[in-house]
Amino acid sequence: MSAALDPAAVFPDEVVTRSLVRDVDLAGVGTFALITLDNGHDHTRPSTFGPASLRALADAVDRLRARAEDGEIVGVGVTGKPFLFAAGADLKGVAVLTRREQALAVGRLGHATFAAFADLPVPTFAFVNGAALGGGVELPLHAGYRAISSGVRAFGLPETFLGLVPGWGGCYLLPRLVGVEAALQVIVENPLANNRMLSGPQALRLGLVDVMFEPAAFLEDCLAWAAGVIAGRVRVERRAIDLGDRAAWDGVVDAARRAVLERTGGAAPAPLRALELVRAARTSSREQAYAAEDEALADLVMGEELRAGLYAFDLLQRRARRPAGAPDASLARPVTKVGIVGAGLMASQLAWLFLRRLEVPVVLTDVDARRIATAVASVHREVDDLVAKGRLDGDRANRLKASVTGSTSLEAFADADFVIEAVFEDLSVKRRVFADLEAVVSPECVLATNTSSLSVSAMAAGLAHPQRVVGCHFFNPVAVMPLLEVVAAEHTDEATLATAFATGKALKKTCILVRDCPSFVVNRLLGRLTSEVLRLVDEGTPIEVVDASFAGLAPMPPFVLFGLVGPAIALHNVASLHAAFPDRFTVSATLRRVVESGKPGFYLRSQGRLALDPEVTALVEQPPEPVVRTREEVRAQVLAALASEARLMLDEAVVSGPADIDLAMITGAGFFVFNGGLTPLLDRTGVAEQVTGRRFLRAGVASVPF
């Protein structure tokens, strides 16, 4: 191999995963060789496969082949270090590849290594003891037999989520094992659904593994099972896959292709490439399929979408864990009791989140005792749901239920450490709430607001202790959306900020530090988008043309999104932004009429599909001289507006850098990982330089480093 393709040259910083082999005596059967994948770190540093790791595995397999041919061993198994099987390719190494030949060589090395394991002359087994992703799933697919722990919570092929394909046999082996429909669920559907993972039981139900054992005695049970298989006492039954029905096979692939195009607008090449590999898997030989995977892998590794996806993945894995600008965690105060002002839908969602994650007393207050009772009952239902799913035992459920209470008096917050208001989005109302709270809570109690657009500094003005007021903007639905915008007001002190970040981390939220400004990050950018698309409709472009322009940019068309967040909330947000920045944000007459009509959105659901509500479209008034723009023109105008707003936000130091804008838009607005969020897309399309005169990110950060 040339120096340019040598692992030491291409992946100089690879953390090598060793393939540690030990012999196990299977009573009455013979000697069994067990490979343990271990990079020498604990489970927080997953074992991965870079070139040196693949060579280490290949060397171990070569030695085991010789032993098998000499009759020394009766079988070979592979498992992982505690809590983790393997996390697939070394993505840090992939990010530094600069030549297609390098990517091609790494693909071929992975295929050759895994195929050598599959071709051992003795039965082969994979014992999936923990998380298995990408190549960590493809290696087990090469085993003759597979077992999984019931405790596994992350088993999947996330490659198309990032901008790759399962390139070490997954696109060929999986559909031939479980059928084309189930395979596409794992290869395409789940990754595009925010990288949904399978649990151990789900993997078993789909047929990806043959048997499941409990974690406590997992390896012992696996070895006993392997002994039974080798001795012929245990038979593994699998359903036959019909490879002869071309029409049925292609029909499933074609339907999946239509769904991908509808969701991504063709902007993501990886899932489309994966679909064609799966289509060809029906008739290809293993050698043909692996060569096709190598070519696809090499093409995609040298593509901009993968580099943007890797950048976004790094944000989600690293920056999300260490928020930029957050104070030292040692400054955080303990939170032993939480208060929530309000008892509406948002308040009950917050109560359940704090209760479930912190497991401390949570008390809601409201002037209406019936609303309080309804909110507490809602939290109790959430507890009961987890009990019904087997995720909570009775004792813990009873403790949680007893820990959530309600009161019509703010005095219930006297001993609270953290109080968050979730009342009507009106500055005067929120200021009055904080003034009333200050009279009953301790001076150290953090006062947080869940406002989505109002000034946190203005809320704190006039308080005796404005330094303990902080913005904690959660996104709806609270249990699902990962983002928490932590807003530093004018007087917010370090201890309060540290407590907000520590609490957000305990709530398992992605926290981003934001300077106090109208609508903060996500709602400000979505507000600019809202303002632009409504301006286009008011000027004469049909709603359906505008919505069709957003495939591959946002997770859903803007006028569908209005139905999710509510037209009134969208109107409030854009009106707040118009008041702050009248030159850039306009309040649409169409949106006002929709809100006044009481309509919940622009679309109706009919027979499982969305269709524009004719009563709403009748509210759109055509101007005397309508201006009708094309999809391309709509997209260009909106991207230009977003580029302008993002640059202004950075100039105003709303966040510490473009990375926080991208992390916020991915976790708070669902912007696609394969675009890198927002700023890599603006750079890649040239919009950033056209509108602002410069890129957001230097070349190579979220693009191919030529």
Side-chain angles (χ1 to χ4, degrees):
M1 180 175 288
S2 70
L5 300 180
D6 183 77
V10 180
F11 293 82
D13 300 321
E14 178 182 351
V15 177
V16 178
T17 296
R18 298 166 296 170
S19 294
L20 308 175
V21 180
R22 64 185 175 99
D23 289 350
V24 179
D25 180 29
L26 299 183
V29 177
T31 300
F32 183 87
L34 180 65
I35 303 170
T36 300
L37 304 172
D38 192 340
N39 64 0
H41 296 265
D42 66 17
H43 66 281
T44 62
R45 184 70 178 266
S47 300
T48 54
F49 295 118
S53 302
L54 289 170
R55 286 188 167 181
L57 177 58
D59 290 345
V61 170
D62 284 345
R63 293 191 295 271
L64 292 173
R65 172 178 292 279
R67 294 184 65 194
E69 290 171 347
D70 290 343
E72 293 182 19
I73 55 176
V74 296
V76 175
V78 61
T79 192
K81 64 185 182 182
F83 312 113
L84 188 123
F85 184 79
D90 186 335
L91 295 179
K92 288 194 299 182
V94 171
V96 302
L97 296 178
T98 58
R99 294 168 49 195
R100 189 178 187 278
E101 311 93 89
Q102 295 169 336
L104 197 60
V106 173
R108 289 171 176 166
L109 178 59
H111 274 131
T113 302
F114 289 3
F117 174 73
D119 294 340
L120 284 170
V122 291
T124 54
F125 299 80
F127 305 145
V128 183
N129 62 307
L133 307 173
V137 169
E138 289 171 299
L139 177 57
L141 289 177
H142 283 80
Y145 305 92
R146 289 163 291 279
I148 198 167
S149 167
S150 63
V152 170
R153 290 290 175 263
F155 185 93
L157 295 170
E159 286 85 351
T160 57
F161 171 72
L162 296 172
L164 282 172
V165 296
W168 286 337
C171 289
Y172 176 70
L173 296 173
L174 189 56
R176 297 171 75 96
L177 174 68
V178 300
V180 62
E181 190 167 1
L184 290 182
Q185 177 187 334
V186 179
I187 294 172
V188 174
E189 182 182 334
N190 284 357
L192 292 187
N194 289 321
N195 201 25
R196 181 186 299 141
M197 290 286 114
L198 298 173
S199 65
Q202 289 170 327
L204 179 65
R205 285 195 293 271
L206 280 179
L208 277 75
V209 295
D210 302 311
V211 68
M212 182 171 69
F213 298 115
E214 294 302 309
F218 178 71
L219 185 56
E220 180 182 344
D221 290 342
C222 284
L223 292 170
W225 173 69
V229 171
I230 294 169
R233 298 189 302 270
V234 174
R235 293 192 60 186
V236 174
E237 302 287 344
R238 298 183 185 131
R239 67 184 182 91
I241 303 301
D242 185 1
L243 300 176
D245 192 341
R246 175 180 177 178
W249 190 283
D250 285 355
V252 172
V253 175
D254 290 341
R257 181 181 177 83
R258 288 192 294 272
V260 167
L261 289 173
E262 183 177 344
R263 179 170 175 80
T264 69
L272 298 175
R273 197 71 179 262
L275 287 171
E276 294 314 307
L277 291 170
V278 171
R279 187 192 302 276
R282 186 182 65 85
T283 56
S284 295
S285 67
R286 188 178 80 174
E287 291 71 23
Q288 291 170 329
Y290 285 9
E293 287 183 357
D294 289 335
E295 295 296 328
L297 200 67
D299 289 343
L300 292 167
V301 164
M302 301 313 296
E304 296 293 291
E305 291 78 9
L306 171 64
R307 302 312 171 110
L310 293 176
Y311 159 80
F313 185 72
D314 188 69
L315 295 182
L316 294 167
Q317 294 297 306
R318 298 178 190 277
R319 196 176 185 92
R321 294 175 184 168
R322 293 184 291 275
D328 192 298
S330 65
L331 298 175
R333 301 189 186 103
V335 174
T336 61
K337 180 178 178 179
V338 173
I340 299 172
V341 184
L345 178 60
M346 192 68 176
S348 61
Q349 290 186 71
L350 289 171
W352 171 228
L353 177 68
F354 279 94
L355 180 68
R356 183 183 179 190
R357 298 300 186 199
L358 303 187
E359 297 197 20
V360 299
V362 175
V363 58
L364 301 103
T365 64
D366 196 276
V367 295
D368 187 336
R370 286 180 298 179
R371 282 168 59 87
I372 293 172
T374 299
V376 171
S378 173
V379 175
H380 285 187
R381 284 195 298 273
E382 296 284 359
V383 175
D384 290 337
D385 285 346
L386 289 186
V387 172
K389 294 174 183 176
R391 295 166 63 182
L392 270 185
D393 60 36
D395 288 343
R396 188 175 169 205
N398 289 334
R399 286 198 304 272
L400 289 177
K401 285 184 175 182
S403 296
V404 59
T405 58
S407 174
T408 56
S409 171
L410 294 181
E411 294 290 342
F413 298 148
D415 57 345
D417 306 300
F418 189 102
V419 178
I420 183 168
E421 65 79 19
V423 299
F424 184 67
E425 192 78 342
D426 179 272
L427 182 58
S428 62
V429 172
K430 292 178 184 291
R431 290 187 67 174
R432 186 165 60 250
V433 165
F434 278 152
D436 292 343
L437 282 171
E438 195 167 50
V440 297
V441 300
S442 70
E444 292 76 28
C445 177
V446 170
L447 299 182
T449 170
N450 186 46
T451 183
S452 59
S453 60
L454 301 176
S455 169
V456 180
S457 299
M459 290 182 209
L463 295 180
H465 301 285
Q467 71 277 5
R468 43 89 167 275
V469 177
V470 65
C472 287
H473 178 211
F474 292 87
F475 288 75
N476 193 25
V478 172
V480 176
M481 299 301 289
L483 181 62
L484 173 60
E485 292 179 334
V486 178
V487 184
E490 181 181 358
H491 297 293
T492 307
D493 64 19
E494 295 284 279
T496 298
L497 275 179
T499 304
F501 274 101
T503 302
K505 182 178 180 180
L507 297 174
K508 299 188 176 180
K509 295 298 182 183
T510 297
C511 299
I512 294 174
L513 179 63
V514 182
R515 188 177 69 81
D516 191 16
C517 67
S519 294
F520 316 127
V521 179
V522 173
N523 282 354
R524 180 164 164 181
L525 286 167
L526 290 182
R528 187 69 189 269
L529 185 153
T530 297
S531 181
E532 291 300 317
V533 300
L534 286 163
R535 190 202 318 268
L536 290 165
V537 169
D538 286 344
E539 290 173 352
T541 302
I543 289 174
E544 53 269 35
V545 173
V546 172
D547 271 354
S549 308
F550 282 81
L553 172 62
M556 64 182 67
F559 287 90
V560 176
L561 179 63
F562 293 153
L564 180 66
V565 303
I569 293 175
L571 178 62
H572 173 80
N573 184 46
V574 78
S576 298
L577 287 162
H578 172 71
F581 312 113
D583 58 323
R584 302 196 306 278
F585 293 84
T586 59
V587 180
S588 164
T590 295
L591 186 58
R592 280 197 186 280
R593 286 191 291 271
V594 172
V595 173
E596 290 166 359
S597 74
K599 286 287 185 178
F602 286 77
Y603 283 84
L604 295 172
R605 185 169 291 279
S606 176
Q607 297 179 340
R609 297 185 65 84
L610 291 174
L612 280 169
D613 184 342
E615 294 182 8
V616 173
T617 55
L619 299 173
V620 180
E621 295 182 357
Q622 286 290 314
E625 296 181 5
V627 178
V628 180
R629 291 176 172 81
T630 65
R631 294 182 185 181
E632 293 73 21
E633 290 170 333
V634 169
R635 188 180 180 89
Q637 182 166 328
V638 172
L639 286 177
L642 290 173
S644 171
E645 201 62 36
R647 176 57 62 196
L648 288 167
M649 291 167 66
L650 292 173
D651 291 344
E652 296 165 12
V654 174
V655 289
S656 64
D660 281 340
I661 287 179
D662 295 322
L663 184 57
M665 296 308 286
I666 292 168
T667 58
F671 273 42
F672 292 121
V673 165
F674 62 74
N675 283 331
L678 176 62
T679 68
L681 176 66
L682 297 173
D683 286 341
R684 184 167 73 246
T685 55
V687 174
E689 290 182 277
Q690 293 165 14
V691 174
T692 73
R694 62 191 192 277
R695 296 171 60 96
F696 285 97
L697 302 165
R698 60 180 173 81
V701 172
S703 55
V704 179
F706 289 111

